Amino acid sequence: MKILILGTGTTGKSIYKYAKNHNIKAYILDERENYDGFEKEDIFSGDFTGIDFAVKSPGIKPESKIIKTLEEKNIKIISDIEFASYFYKTKDIVAITGTNGKTTITTLVNEILNKAGSSYAVGNIGVGVMDVIDLDPEYIVCEASSFQLAYIDKFRPHVAVITNITSDHLDWHKTVENYRTAKENIYKNLGENDYLILGASCDYVKTINSSIKNTYYYSYDDHKRPGLFVRDGEIVYRNFGGKLENIMKAQDIFIKGIHNIENAMAAILSAYFLGVNIKTIVETIKNFKGVEHRIEFIKTIDGISYYNDSKGTNPDSTDVALKAFDKSILIMGGYDKGSDFKNLLEKNKNRIVSLVVMGATADLIIKEATEIGISYIRVKDMEEAVNVATKKAKENLATVLLSPACASWDMYPNYEERGRHFKEIVLGLER
């Protein structure tokens, strides 16, 4: 086997390491020529002779020069999760996709499965999918992005989850239809003994008409479908025969908000269909404290509470965060993915006391905020943003919320770095 690895980030390094350890001839190519940690003889020379296929990093766009070149040469291009599926021994794979909620569900499912056996969370959550193959876990939980799912052929999870699908990553997919198609690839290879779990609160996802026999739904509201919903404060399971069973009290979920109750439902169904004892599932959910960078409480300083929602990388995600608070000073702005912010601001104009705006999307956000009548202050960086937001929060007795509604790539390498920087600055206010 002779492969070409496109990209030298987490994905590329994961694939390269696996290839070196298993005598797979692999060449590495990165437009940035960032080859630290790679052997010189493995850097691609431009000779495509004998290349079986290319494995691309998720962030490389379909219109990039190397993708076009490979397509012209009829060289197959696959994602890392497709490549990994050639080697995984376990069949108990959970794959989770959607615009929002993926990381929380992935993390929670992984914690539950680790109570029942050995499990690893991989994929878009920040761990290379190839890194855990040789550990031979009983379970694998994969957070699958649209970038990865757009380039699969045979990848087949045992349980597939779609949380919701709204408009996102249009800079990459170009159209909402392309984005939806990529997301829906997650279930295209499921068999009659596999499971598809759909978030029925999403108007689009609840209309997905798959041929998968074992299709279940989850939503806070009762959509009269097999799966989970909330009734009289209880999370209730309905089977295909219509029989109802109480699972747990919704208020016993530690992470708050209706969206997190629904995230817990997706995790319950995923683990249940893998045969995990319901008592183990419920106990784990009760003790789950949430995910870093997702409506993460940092601290209350001088009466002002600060929350880090750096993972709010699109307007729909920020909309969920804003609904958790009555009054917020919202720090937003970042890399331009082609998102529209007007609907977000219009829906939450009574919750947003003031905007603190930065990044590449600042001009667009300011234009739309001005039209709606939301006050704003433009800042140059995170430190200024926190200082300005703190002053405004004290004047208005409001919460300071970092939820950018944008990716981080104009100012930070990823949303994690952005969130950590925000937390460092906030915790430094006490010194």
Side-chain angles (χ1 to χ4, degrees):
M1 184 183 293
K2 186 178 179 182
I3 66 172
L4 176 61
I5 301 171
L6 308 179
T8 58
T10 299
T11 297
K13 288 175 181 174
S14 173
I15 298 166
Y16 181 77
K17 180 182 176 182
Y18 185 86
K20 295 295 282 187
N21 289 339
H22 293 82
N23 297 316
I24 298 171
K25 187 56 186 174
Y27 295 99
I28 189 85
L29 175 63
D30 193 310
E31 292 178 348
R32 302 165 300 174
E33 296 188 355
N34 179 26
Y35 293 117
D36 289 343
F38 298 91
E39 296 179 22
K40 289 183 179 180
E41 63 266 25
D42 294 330
I43 298 173
F44 185 59
S45 64
D47 180 8
F48 292 94
T49 304
I51 296 291
D52 293 299
F53 52 82
V55 190
K56 68 179 289 296
S57 292
I60 299 175
K61 296 181 179 181
E63 70 269 20
S64 66
K65 183 178 178 181
I66 183 57
I67 297 298
K68 294 298 184 185
T69 299
L70 290 167
E71 288 174 343
E72 289 170 4
K73 294 182 177 295
N74 293 316
I75 294 175
K76 186 176 182 178
I77 305 165
I78 63 174
S79 65
D80 57 329
I81 61 174
E82 172 71 13
F83 184 58
S85 70
Y86 302 165
F87 305 99
Y88 279 151
K89 295 177 184 177
T90 178
K91 302 300 180 186
D92 285 335
I93 297 173
V94 182
I96 299 154
T97 198
T99 304
N100 297 307
K102 300 185 296 295
T103 301
T104 297
I105 297 169
T106 300
T107 305
L108 182 48
V109 171
N110 190 55
E111 287 204 12
I112 295 169
L113 294 178
N114 268 309
K115 296 291 194 302
S118 62
S119 178
Y120 289 92
V122 300
N124 196 52
I125 200 167
V127 178
V129 294
M130 305 300 297
D131 287 337
V132 307
I133 294 176
D134 290 339
L135 301 175
D136 196 20
E138 294 173 64
Y139 308 99
I140 292 171
V141 188
C142 178
E143 180 181 327
S145 72
S146 58
F147 307 151
Q148 294 168 310
L149 291 168
Y151 288 88
I152 67 167
D153 182 21
K154 297 180 181 178
F155 173 70
R156 175 186 170 185
H158 182 38
V159 177
V161 180
I162 304 179
T163 63
N164 45 65
I165 300 178
T166 58
S167 178
D168 198 14
H169 297 300
L170 297 189
D171 60 317
W172 201 94
H173 292 283
K174 305 308 179 189
T175 68
V176 174
E177 289 72 24
N178 290 342
Y179 178 60
R180 288 172 174 173
T181 298
K183 290 290 190 186
E184 290 181 58
N185 276 345
I186 197 169
Y187 65 81
K188 74 176 185 177
N189 295 317
L190 296 190
E192 64 175 14
N193 295 318
D194 299 322
Y195 295 87
L196 176 62
I197 301 170
L198 301 175
S201 291
C202 174
D203 288 338
Y204 178 77
V205 172
K206 72 181 180 183
T207 66
I208 289 176
N209 186 21
S210 77
S211 60
I212 308 305
K213 180 180 71 174
N214 296 317
T215 299
Y216 290 81
Y217 300 82
Y218 67 93
S219 173
Y220 191 87
D221 299 317
D222 184 5
H223 291 266
K224 309 298 181 183
R225 301 181 181 188
L228 292 175
F229 64 96
V230 175
R231 183 184 64 178
D232 298 330
E234 290 275 350
I235 294 178
V236 180
Y237 173 72
R238 175 186 285 115
N239 67 15
F240 275 100
K243 183 180 178 182
L244 303 180
E245 177 187 355
N246 287 353
I247 302 300
M248 66 181 294
K249 292 184 181 300
Q251 68 179 23
D252 287 342
I253 297 172
F254 183 86
I255 47 176
K256 302 305 179 185
I258 289 177
H259 68 290
N260 276 324
I261 293 173
E262 293 184 335
N263 289 338
M265 290 178 180
I268 290 168
L269 289 173
S270 299
Y272 181 72
F273 294 143
L274 288 175
V276 180
N277 181 282
I278 196 67
K279 182 179 179 182
T280 300
I281 295 172
V282 170
E283 287 179 354
T284 307
I285 288 174
K286 285 181 177 179
N287 292 303
F288 181 66
K289 300 298 190 290
V291 176
E292 186 182 17
H293 310 300
R294 193 65 182 111
I295 319 182
E296 176 193 7
F297 173 67
I298 303 172
K299 200 161 191 177
T300 298
I301 302 173
D302 295 332
I304 303 301
S305 294
Y306 296 81
Y307 285 81
N308 166 33
D309 191 56
S310 184
K311 202 174 187 314
T313 58
N314 59 67
D316 290 289
S317 186
T318 295
D319 179 53
V320 169
L322 282 166
K323 286 176 179 174
F325 308 100
D326 293 328
K327 295 195 301 181
S328 296
I329 308 299
L330 177 63
I331 301 173
M332 70 179 294
Y335 177 81
D336 190 355
K337 295 193 291 183
S339 298
D340 178 8
F341 305 102
K342 192 166 188 176
N343 188 45
L344 167 70
L345 298 178
E346 183 70 49
K347 285 195 299 183
N348 293 284
K349 61 183 178 182
N350 294 326
R351 292 188 179 92
I352 301 171
V353 176
S354 183
L355 291 174
V356 179
V357 188
M358 61 183 183
T361 55
D363 288 338
L364 176 58
I365 293 169
I366 288 170
K367 176 179 178 294
E368 294 178 347
T370 301
E371 292 175 0
I372 294 167
I374 298 175
S375 68
Y376 66 86
I377 299 174
R378 183 171 188 160
V379 297
K380 65 180 184 298
D381 57 27
M382 187 67 77
E383 188 165 4
E384 185 181 4
V386 172
N387 290 331
V388 168
T390 297
K391 182 180 178 182
K392 281 285 183 182
K394 288 179 179 178
E395 292 172 356
N396 295 277
L397 300 177
T399 296
V400 174
L401 172 65
L402 169 70
S403 188
C406 301
S408 62
W409 304 317
D410 58 333
M411 300 174 71
Y412 297 90
N414 50 58
Y415 73 81
E416 293 97 335
E417 286 296 317
R418 177 172 63 188
R420 291 185 193 113
H421 189 208
F422 174 70
K423 290 195 288 185
E424 287 172 8
I425 295 169
V426 169
L427 294 173
L429 295 174
E430 285 190 312
R431 295 171 193 157

